[in-house]
Amino acid sequence: MKIIKEKIIKEANLAADKTLSIFDINSQDYDSSVMDVIKTLRKFLINEKSPEKRTLFLAILNILEGNFEKNKTLLENQNDVIFKYNYLLSRMYNREDVIKEIIQFVKNFPDSIYPYLLLLEYYLIEGNFSNFSKILSLTSKINNFFKIIYQVYTNTLEDVGIVKSVVMHKKFTELLLYIIKQKSLETENTKSYCLNVNYSKKEGTIPNPKEYCVKANFAQAAWSIVNNRKFDESKLKIFEKTPEYNLFYGFYYLNKQELENAKKYFEKFENQVENVSVKIIAKTISYIGMRQFYQNIKSNIFKEERGKILEVINNYPLHDFIVEYFDPEIVRLLFAEKHCCIVYGGNKC
């Protein structure tokens, strides 16, 4: 059975000298599962003679296996950038308040990408995206890859030529391909669950939701409402810090004519994201605001307005709506399925 299991669990496509963190793992092999990575890291650990690299591989294994406390001892007295990154990441995943230490980390190493990655992931977990464009703008000056992420986040990417040129470096290849395809509204078959969920929205199909996937669970819930089916609200509770949660419940209560509750959730949403606008579209179903969670709507859009979401909606009582904003999903995709698995699924992946 041991031999069979080892044959079934394939190794991730990683280079030992480039595997410094989970982020670097995603960069090299975006589609790799946690089990694939763990097997590969254990192989690295056996073959590695350098004590520093062995410590690093062990630290990444501890993160992937949820042993965050072990890294507090393992990495506590390490001052190198990458060791500090993994140390603070372990404590962040352990639900410790490390924001002051992260900010100091940024100040100490302003030319390294790793402190900013921690800052982005911290705010991603906490559901605060008001400074995302500022942080991504800083990262774009350090690394050309982040110029693309910044432009996708701010909806300013016009020419995919820059994306195609970065693809040649073979970093985040699947994610970059998704960005190119997104621009042309094409879909793609990929091994990445995260990307498949986002591709499914282009086709208007409902992805099979893993318990820790933000987009898939709200797509499923919205589709259930539109089709007059029950959905399990308890499955959405773990996402209460996400903008998707507040936007969904704003429309959920609006459709139930509970305007005070709708207003509360819309205001929470407006206070946590950047650059909110409301597109007014033709109403084709009785429930408003729900199609946007599982379908890309590109037709029958005749007006776009800025202002309080509820006020805009009240001005157009016979229409449906799409709320657009700087969606942090592109940043969530940087950290891939491993992030959501650890943060929302208790490392069950």
Side-chain angles (χ1 to χ4, degrees):
M1 288 302 296
K2 182 181 178 182
I3 294 171
I4 292 171
K5 188 176 181 180
E6 286 177 350
K7 286 184 177 179
I8 291 172
I9 302 173
K10 64 181 183 299
E11 293 182 19
N13 185 22
L14 305 175
D17 61 331
K18 296 179 181 178
T19 303
L20 309 176
S21 68
I22 296 177
F23 182 79
D24 299 299
I25 289 168
N26 292 335
S27 172
Q28 295 174 77
D29 189 351
Y30 191 80
D31 294 340
S32 59
S33 71
V34 170
M35 288 305 297
D36 296 345
V37 173
I38 287 174
K39 183 178 180 183
T40 307
L41 287 172
R42 292 202 181 283
K43 183 178 176 181
F44 289 169
L45 201 56
I46 292 169
N47 297 329
E48 184 58 55
K49 291 181 173 57
S50 163
E52 291 80 11
K53 288 300 292 288
R54 285 179 60 82
T55 298
L56 202 53
F57 294 146
L58 187 57
I60 301 170
L61 278 167
N62 284 337
I63 293 172
L64 291 172
E65 294 176 336
N67 299 320
F68 310 123
E69 285 287 340
K70 289 183 178 180
N71 276 352
K72 291 173 71 173
T73 305
L74 184 67
L75 303 173
E76 192 170 20
N77 297 317
Q78 299 279 358
N79 294 317
D80 183 79
V81 171
I82 195 62
F83 284 94
K84 189 74 171 180
Y85 170 80
N86 284 298
Y87 171 67
L88 290 174
L89 182 66
S90 300
R91 291 180 57 199
M92 184 168 69
Y93 281 162
N94 204 34
R95 301 300 190 271
E96 296 181 35
D97 186 5
V98 291
I99 184 57
K100 290 182 180 178
E101 291 173 74
I102 293 173
I103 291 171
Q104 187 60 50
F105 189 32
V106 172
K107 290 178 179 178
N108 291 345
F109 300 96
D111 298 325
S112 170
I113 204 69
Y114 291 101
Y116 297 101
L117 291 176
L118 274 179
L119 200 57
L120 286 168
E121 196 163 7
Y122 177 85
Y123 286 130
L124 195 60
I125 293 170
E126 292 301 312
N128 181 356
F129 311 102
S130 57
N131 289 319
F132 257 42
S133 58
K134 181 179 179 180
I135 299 168
L136 287 171
S137 176
L138 291 171
T139 63
S140 71
K141 295 171 184 175
I142 299 172
N143 188 305
N144 280 336
F145 171 73
F146 280 89
K147 285 183 180 178
I148 297 169
I149 302 303
Y150 173 68
Q151 289 178 10
V152 173
Y153 175 73
T154 55
N155 298 319
T156 56
L157 180 66
E158 297 296 334
D159 182 12
V160 295
I162 182 176
V163 186
K164 291 177 180 177
S165 66
V166 176
V167 169
M168 302 299 291
H169 296 287
K170 296 183 179 180
K171 293 183 178 180
F172 284 99
T173 306
E174 294 83 359
L175 179 58
L176 291 170
L177 180 61
Y178 165 73
I179 292 170
I180 293 170
K181 295 282 186 179
Q182 188 181 44
K183 200 70 181 170
S184 58
L185 297 178
E186 295 178 59
T187 57
E188 179 79 13
N189 290 322
T190 173
K191 294 177 183 177
S192 166
Y193 173 76
C194 304
L195 295 181
N196 279 331
V197 167
N198 282 277
Y199 277 126
S200 71
K201 194 174 178 182
K202 296 181 183 181
E203 299 173 331
T205 57
I206 309 303
N208 181 34
K210 293 185 179 181
E211 64 183 65
Y212 49 77
C213 180
V214 180
K215 293 294 185 183
N217 278 280
F218 283 106
Q220 180 71 59
W223 182 88
S224 297
I225 289 172
V226 168
N227 289 278
N228 296 307
R229 298 186 182 184
K230 292 182 179 180
F231 70 97
D232 189 349
E233 286 192 65
S234 66
K235 290 183 177 180
L236 303 181
K237 186 66 176 174
I238 58 173
F239 307 118
E240 63 182 338
K241 288 186 177 182
T242 68
E244 289 89 348
Y245 184 91
N246 290 319
L247 184 62
F248 174 86
Y249 275 103
F251 279 109
Y252 174 75
Y253 285 112
L254 184 64
N255 281 296
K256 293 180 72 173
Q257 300 299 310
E258 297 182 26
L259 297 186
E260 283 304 311
N261 276 332
K263 181 181 179 182
K264 179 181 73 173
Y265 282 103
F266 281 138
E267 286 180 349
K268 282 184 179 180
F269 170 81
E270 290 162 343
N271 289 331
Q272 73 180 145
V273 298
E274 300 178 280
N275 203 52
V276 178
S277 67
V278 182
K279 287 187 175 180
I280 299 96
I281 63 174
K283 189 175 182 180
T284 58
I285 56 175
S286 57
Y287 295 96
I288 65 170
M290 287 295 168
R291 286 172 59 206
Q292 65 185 315
F293 290 96
Y294 61 86
Q295 186 177 17
N296 274 347
I297 305 166
K298 296 296 181 183
S299 59
N300 298 320
I301 300 171
F302 63 91
K303 198 168 186 181
E304 180 176 6
E305 288 197 8
R306 296 188 180 274
K308 294 291 184 181
I309 295 171
L310 197 54
E311 291 177 7
V312 174
I313 290 171
N314 288 336
N315 290 333
Y316 298 90
L318 301 178
H319 295 80
D320 197 357
F321 306 92
I322 304 168
V323 176
E324 292 202 339
Y325 58 104
F326 288 173
D327 189 349
E329 176 69 1
I330 187 61
V331 180
R332 201 182 280 141
L333 288 172
L334 274 181
F335 302 111
E337 188 174 356
K338 300 168 190 70
H339 164 89
C340 293
C341 164
I342 292 169
V343 174
Y344 304 116
N347 212 29
K348 298 174 184 175
C349 51

